[in-house]
Amino acid sequence: MMEQESVRPFLLQARYGIEKESQRVTLDGELAKSNHPSTVGNRNFHPYIQTDFSETQLELITPVTESVEEVLAYLEAIHDVAQRSLPKDEMMWPFSMPPALPEKEEDIQIAKLEHHADVLYRRYLAREYGKRKQMVSGIHFNFEYGLDLVEQLFLAQTQETSLEDFKTHLYMKIARNFLRYRWLITYLFGASPLSEARYFDSEDRPNEPVRSIRTSQYGYVNKPDVQVSYESLTRYSQDLAENVALGRLSEEKEFYAPIRMRGGKKVADLFHTGIRYVELRNIDLNPFDRVGIDADEIKFIHLFMLYLLWTDEKLPADDWVAKGNHISDAVSLEHPTKTTAFYDEGQQIFTEMLQMIKELDLEGSDLVRTYQNWLDHPEETLAARIFVLDENEGQAAVATEWGRKFYEQAWAHPYQLAGFQEMELSTQNLLFDAIQTGIEAEVLDRHDQFVKLQHENHQELVKNANMTSKDTYIAPLLMANKTVTKTILARAGFRVPAGETFGSIEEAKKAYLRFAKKAFVIKPKSTNYGLGITIFKNETSIEDFNAGLAIAFAEDDAVIIEEFMPGTEYRFFVIDGQVKAVLLRIPANVVGDGERTISQLVAEKNADPLRGTHHRSPLEVIQLGALEQLMLKEQGLQINSVPEQGRQVFLRENSNVSTGGDSIDITDEVDESYKKIAIDAVAALGANISGIDLIIPDKDKPHENHEDYGIIEANFNPAMHMHIYPYAGKSRRLTMDVLRFLYPELTH
Amino acid sequence: MMEQESVRPFLLQARYGIEKESQRVTLDGELAKSNHPSTVGNRNFHPYIQTDFSETQLELITPVTESVEEVLAYLEAIHDVAQRSLPKDEMMWPFSMPPALPEKEEDIQIAKLEHHADVLYRRYLAREYGKRKQMVSGIHFNFEYGLDLVEQLFLAQTQETSLEDFKTHLYMKIARNFLRYRWLITYLFGASPLSEARYFDSEDRPNEPVRSIRTSQYGYVNKPDVQVSYESLTRYSQDLAENVALGRLSEEKEFYAPIRMRGGKKVADLFHTGIRYVELRNIDLNPFDRVGIDADEIKFIHLFMLYLLWTDEKLPADDWVAKGNHISDAVSLEHPTKTTAFYDEGQQIFTEMLQMIKELDLEGSDLVRTYQNWLDHPEETLAARIFVLDENEGQAAVATEWGRKFYEQAWAHPYQLAGFQEMELSTQNLLFDAIQTGIEAEVLDRHDQFVKLQHENHQELVKNANMTSKDTYIAPLLMANKTVTKTILARAGFRVPAGETFGSIEEAKKAYLRFAKKAFVIKPKSTNYGLGITIFKNETSIEDFNAGLAIAFAEDDAVIIEEFMPGTEYRFFVIDGQVKAVLLRIPANVVGDGERTISQLVAEKNADPLRGTHHRSPLEVIQLGALEQLMLKEQGLQINSVPEQGRQVFLRENSNVSTGGDSIDITDEVDESYKKIAIDAVAALGANISGIDLIIPDKDKPHENHEDYGIIEANFNPAMHMHIYPYAGKSRRLTMDVLRFLYPELTH
């Protein structure tokens, strides 16, 4: 069936979702004593960051995605958020097996959930299985065949007449084949060879090392009397119901199968919904990857799932599954560096997989061959590699070291969000905050910085982290038109620099009398690195005026003569009628120490991890190009000059952060009266999110009259990252302010 | 003082506003019997279109503007609106003297105003002066010297210490000089030489022809016992108060001075507000210009006002004014073709004006010389030219003929708005509708189509006639991203064509199996006149598929393969949750008559006044360029072919109106179910104003399932003019719908 023309275009269509558990530990590898981080949104609704059995056990959950890249991007991002939401002295334990457990079982904290039923269920589990076994962690991998694929398979057969029934039969077959062949997953990716102190509290324990304690009979499994048939959904459901009725299980979800059929809230729901997808539960944490699973592993599992569809069952259902369980138990407890007893069957599975790949013209044969090779080289399997490392250093030391490595990774560039690093920093920050808060965040277009947010029925679209439904269509168009903006602000009573634009030098010369006695600036209409600009502060002669015009017209066909406003320019970031940040930007500079050259000082300043290139960091490195050298020359300096102790040397005229300028947060220092002006001016423009630039001669002296400030412009797509990660001063988490504005119901 | 360096930059600074009265008449020149047009917004608040004394007397009012061009632009626009708001068989009488008046005075209808006080005042005037005299029309010209100019003059003197007092003195001097020299305005621009039937109902009438009945003692003037001194504001105010107290005037506004001091609601208010501007009231309608005044006249009056400032008074105030009144009365009643008795004084004024222009280095000497020349050539004056025409044809016939000419002008391009014709048609329509409704409309940036609307305290900004505060910032950004738009629509359950974009032909070829059995289209990502597009409707062979890719990749580096949706594309224009218009666009075409050639048929179709070029008209002319000729060739035709009777020959593939396509309104024909889809889809995008394109196989058959429509795209700046002036079908006044959406308080 899978070879049919109609089916083949859709073979690789699938949807994935990952749940990953991790124990929170201190940087010394001890189980954390703290509560679930309060920086993270409420566990009542949080879609990404939950707790499993114990208060220390994080459960990280990706949304359902349609590609390997996407599911890993989300898992990476959620990891960054989870790690950076923990106290600075905590990290995630990278192994499935928990760190050394407390001596007293009561010191293992059950998750402090709000809903009493959730707590009661965990208490029941603690009584029934003991708390220690619940502390193991792993990956739950949700897998769904593509809808087109299933539909085409349905159309290609004649036995089933209902698509829902067909799907259910298909997934039941998958479940049986998975149970039969799942040992191969354990062989390759089993990664819990050794337990840590006090995981086992009795002599009923394996003879370590093994391939996977977690998937073995010593792992977290149901008691042997719980038996369920996979022959059909009807029998499966009946058996589960019987186990619950007889009290062997408290409820259906206590059935810890290596594969679960999903689709409705309860198993009985599957009869109307059909089985929609399966949850694979036998995957240990891969400690060589900080998110516990890597792309190759997922791609292999995908091909393995296609193989389970492709291959026929060779025994009656219950026998087939029982045989699989038997082999799985055996492989789990094999010594990790030894050849498996099921080597031949392994070779057969790989050979058939490669045959399938060839016949269906799929990609992935190299990958399958790599893993096939591990049959001959058990030392390549995850369990073996961990065991070898453990033998040398001790498992706790290895886990701590690796946990720290991942911890350092998460903190190295805190302004970035793994998985989304090619997006704008402000969008990365917004995604971080949404994930942390528990707002569902989906990137609709990475290149266009288009994000969809959702909480319950409340959807919001956000572009560039600041373009939202909270502003009107017309407000940014107004701000984009600098002339009209000035008109509106001036009419509303704000001071803006009066100016005129001239298209010819003759026309401009006639304006002399109107400006001669004022302070004014002549500049090309399109300013470019300050070229062609002349500032006149006192009474200006006609000769100087005309000379200034000549300089400006040499740079552009149109020239602006504008009132000059003395003072310093500040960016006020207004959101929802409040000034959330005020920033001073100063041009690229270094401060001399009387010893080092300018180029050495620049190199040192550029070593700051906040500085990078191409807007991948909140600050840009200082260049030493032609413009900077010209600027030095004008000050009588060269890149090899050694400025004296304390002398600030500027390398640029313009204060843009994008050309190496420094950003300095002064939100708490600027007088409140100027904040009021910024708020009122943004309101006069009808805007709700805007970065408005004010010139202020003395920011400490309260605003008194029309002369003590001027509004330069208002920006409809203001940079946010420079406020969140300033060169100096306090961080202002503007992306969180945007979320608060969009979702007051969540954040107020 | 005016020669000082500090003053000179501001000499030509001024603000203007014009009020212009006109009698409504039938196209035969008879006084209209209809009421004030109901298409025009309520007279209680209307800022632009009012009624003066009688129900037939329109009063058109411009806003205050800062240039001659602007004030005339508004006056032109308001004229267009007023004319096109009248019944089709009415026009404006172009002369100051009214048309033949009814035999019975009671047939002259007093304006039917809502406020009883307004009606009572008009009844009083009717009793006091008779209704007939009230029927004369003219121009009231509001003039204000620039604020900078007045301020600089104030700074250049030492006598006055308060700017307000200085201004009051300045304007009192202007008033006196104006009264003294105003005869020159009457000489040049007096334009009421003859009365029509029954204007005078007694023998107390002038010996016609004269220069200006209206400004003479036989015009609409106060009774001789009303005397007011202009010596100072105090005396002026006292005298007015006394006249009212003695019952000579019912209230201050009954004082019909040729110049009024303005600034507050009442004359007494001027003591705190200062005089802010003056209202010149002695200007007859210039019937040679459809708006009653032309640019040269305004420019001359401006220079004349500067001259009044420049020249000294030569007698005590009351004597000075009395002399002026005397001369004015005399000049008004002179024969229009005769040399004036005050020729010498006229020459002196002109000589001094030219001297002033020279000394102050102003422009306008040519203009002044032209009018100076009229002293020697009284036949050039308006009154003389009218009189000569009247002598030949009779004044009523001349007025009717000219009124009709202006009527035709106003109706020639009803989709344009005079004064704003270089703006986009949709913005011209919006301005028209705003002016008609009585919403104050100001163009903030002509090039950027930026308009400010205001009604009482409710301000709205509108760009491109459809970008408003009613849409959010994010909705148009969403619509601009076609891919994200499709994603959002598809998730909300709407049918959109599934498609994929490919960057290389190799990559695209792999998609064959996914499309082979569907109807699909291969097209270059950037479509250009339909080049490179291939449509596949049935099962497609790999050869045809690859050939289609080759054709598309020859046009562009990126190619889209998209589900093909059969049917016709319609544009649904949604505003505020309602479909306001549905349009079918069909490619440029002609229909044969078996006689004429294609180029003749095209020429005939292009003669439609709705067709023009460069988007200056709602439809574009059909070209006969290379693309059209290629298209004809493919049909075996040439431009000289004679298509048979009834054969529709297409000259374009694409249906754009911009390439000569026809726009056909089908709002009332399309099934309601599709309108609901359009409304719901626009809502799903979070938009409030959008033009959404649907493909529908059968617009008459109600929507039943997912197959019977598809959404192509939603437009965030949809064209409006093609709905307002379609080639066929009903006009849909979308700009008025936008205004209704913005100002429900005015229009609901």
Side-chain angles (χ1 to χ4, degrees), chain B residues 544-557:
Chain B
D544 288 351
F545 182 80
N546 290 345
L549 287 177
I551 291 167
F553 272 106
E555 299 293 329
D556 198 347
D557 290 340

Side-chain angles (χ1 to χ4, degrees), chain B residues 190-204:
Chain B
S192 45
L194 299 166
S195 63
E196 283 301 301
R198 296 179 291 277
Y199 179 70
F200 291 110
D201 55 358
S202 75
E203 286 314 302
D204 182 22

Side-chain angles (χ1 to χ4, degrees), chain A residues 194 209 335 337 384-395 398:
Chain A
L194 297 168
H335 192 283
T337 62
R385 285 157 67 197
I386 294 167
F387 166 66
V388 170
L389 286 169
D390 290 353
E391 270 201 319
N392 296 334
E393 303 180 42
Q395 177 161 292
V398 171

Side-chain angles (χ1 to χ4, degrees), chain A residues 189-309:
Chain A
F189 308 124
S192 45
L194 297 168
S195 64
E196 281 302 301
R198 297 179 289 279
Y199 179 70
F200 291 111
D201 55 357
S202 74
E203 286 314 299
D204 182 24
R205 53 183 297 174
N207 184 19
E208 302 176 19
V210 298
R211 298 200 195 277
S212 174
I213 295 172
R214 179 171 162 274
T215 58
S216 78
Q217 57 183 285
Y218 302 103
Y220 182 36
V221 292
N222 294 111
K223 299 193 175 144
D225 58 352
V226 178
Q227 291 296 333
V228 172
S229 169
Y230 288 81
E231 191 247 323
S232 67
L233 180 60
T234 311
R235 276 204 56 200
Y236 175 79
S237 172
Q238 280 169 349
D239 286 358
L240 265 186
E242 193 182 308
N243 276 297
V244 172
L246 294 173
R248 291 181 195 140
L249 298 173
S250 66
E251 46 187 302
E252 281 172 3
K253 73 174 173 183
E254 195 190 333
F255 181 58
Y256 301 119
I259 186 167
R260 263 187 194 161
M261 270 69 71
R262 305 301 294 256
K265 259 189 143 19
K266 297 171 129 196
V267 172
D269 295 339
L270 297 177
F271 289 103
H272 3 278
T273 61
I275 299 172
R276 289 205 299 106
Y277 64 99
V278 287
E279 180 187 351
L280 313 183
R281 300 161 55 88
N282 68 330
I283 304 165
D284 286 354
L285 295 187
N286 175 347
F288 299 95
D289 196 292
R290 73 159 186 149
V291 300
I293 190 166
D294 68 20
D296 282 351
E297 219 173 316
I298 301 177
K299 285 178 191 161
F300 178 79
I301 293 170
H302 188 175
L303 291 168
F304 186 68
M305 295 303 286
L306 282 183
Y307 170 73
L308 301 182
L309 194 59

Side-chain angles (χ1 to χ4, degrees), chain B residues 502-553:
Chain B
F502 300 93
S504 75
I505 194 161
E506 294 70 36
E507 192 200 335
K509 282 180 176 174
K510 289 188 197 158
Y512 170 66
L513 284 177
R514 289 207 293 287
F515 289 95
K517 304 231 164 144
K518 298 176 179 172
F520 64 97
V521 54
I522 298 180
K523 59 186 178 185
K525 192 173 181 197
S526 321
T527 51
N528 188 16
Y529 302 117
L531 294 176
I533 297 183
T534 320
I535 296 171
F536 300 90
K537 295 195 181 169
N538 300 107
E539 284 197 29
T540 301
S541 72
I542 180 95
E543 292 76 24
D544 288 351
F545 182 80
N546 290 345
L549 287 177
I551 291 167
F553 272 106

Side-chain angles (χ1 to χ4, degrees), chain A residues 420-714:
Chain A
F420 298 93
Q421 279 152 334
E422 89 281 19
M423 298 190 76
E424 289 181 2
L425 287 183
S426 52
T427 296
Q428 292 184 53
N429 288 320
L430 183 88
L431 289 171
F432 182 101
D433 294 346
I435 291 171
Q436 191 179 51
T437 308
I439 296 168
E440 290 171 53
E442 180 185 0
V443 175
L444 295 176
D445 188 329
R446 285 185 176 235
H447 181 72
D448 208 20
Q449 317 295 326
F450 226 114
V451 172
K452 180 166 89 69
L453 301 175
Q454 182 103 29
H455 175 63
E456 291 169 0
N457 290 324
H458 178 179
Q459 178 183 298
E460 294 281 354
L461 298 175
V462 181
K463 189 168 136 54
N464 297 65
N466 59 29
M467 302 169 177
T468 73
S469 70
K470 292 292 181 181
D471 267 302
T472 67
Y473 193 174
I474 197 71
L477 295 171
L478 168 59
M479 292 190 267
N481 188 319
K482 300 300 171 197
T483 317
V484 177
T485 296
K486 287 211 284 183
T487 305
I488 295 285
L489 287 177
R491 292 211 197 152
F494 295 94
R495 185 171 179 230
V496 293
E500 287 177 60
T501 306
F502 300 92
S504 75
I505 195 161
E506 294 71 34
E507 191 200 336
K509 281 180 177 174
K510 289 188 196 158
Y512 170 66
L513 284 176
R514 288 207 294 286
F515 289 96
K517 304 231 166 146
K518 299 176 178 173
F520 64 98
V521 54
I522 298 179
K523 59 185 180 186
K525 192 173 180 196
S526 320
T527 51
N528 189 14
Y529 303 117
L531 293 177
I533 296 183
T534 321
I535 295 171
F536 300 90
K537 295 195 181 170
N538 300 109
E539 286 197 25
T540 302
S541 73
I542 180 96
E543 293 75 25
D544 289 350
F545 182 80
N546 290 345
L549 287 178
I551 291 168
F553 273 105
E555 299 293 329
D556 198 349
D557 291 341
V559 161
I560 294 174
I561 310 180
E562 194 175 72
E563 185 184 351
F564 173 73
M565 295 191 169
T568 308
E569 184 177 330
Y570 302 94
R571 162 69 54 87
F572 287 67
F573 206 113
V574 176
I575 301 178
D576 192 16
Q578 291 170 285
V579 170
K580 296 292 186 183
V582 186
L583 200 77
L584 166 65
R585 283 164 293 179
I586 58 176
N589 69 87
V590 289
V591 177
D593 60 2
E595 287 178 16
R596 282 177 295 177
T597 64
I598 288 174
S599 61
Q600 285 169 333
L601 292 167
V602 165
E604 190 208 12
K605 196 159 179 176
N606 285 345
D608 184 341
L610 289 185
R611 284 190 199 265
T613 54
H614 301 101
H615 308 280
R616 311 315 311 155
S617 323
L619 297 169
E620 291 285 307
V621 297
I622 302 171
Q623 306 286 337
L624 281 173
L627 274 167
E628 288 81 4
Q629 297 199 32
L630 187 69
M631 176 88 183
L632 287 175
K633 199 176 167 189
E634 284 172 6
Q635 301 167 80
L637 295 167
Q638 294 182 317
I639 56 169
N640 292 323
S641 308
V642 175
E644 60 266 35
Q645 168 84 30
R647 174 176 173 192
Q648 189 171 34
V649 177
F650 287 98
L651 292 117
R652 278 280 189 160
E653 287 261 16
N654 65 307
S655 61
N656 304 49
V657 165
S658 62
T659 53
D662 291 342
S663 54
I664 300 168
D665 179 79
I666 55 148
T667 313
D668 296 333
E669 283 109 75
V670 73
D671 191 84
E672 288 298 316
S673 56
Y674 300 107
K675 293 183 189 169
K676 182 163 179 357
I677 289 171
I679 291 165
D680 293 347
V682 167
L685 295 172
N688 284 312
I689 298 177
S690 174
I692 190 163
D693 295 330
L694 270 68
I695 291 264
I696 305 174
D698 185 351
K699 71 171 172 30
D700 304 320
K701 188 172 149 282
H703 160 62
E704 276 173 7
N705 59 53
H706 222 53
E707 303 306 305
D708 59 19
Y709 79 97
I711 300 177
I712 303 301
E713 63 175 4

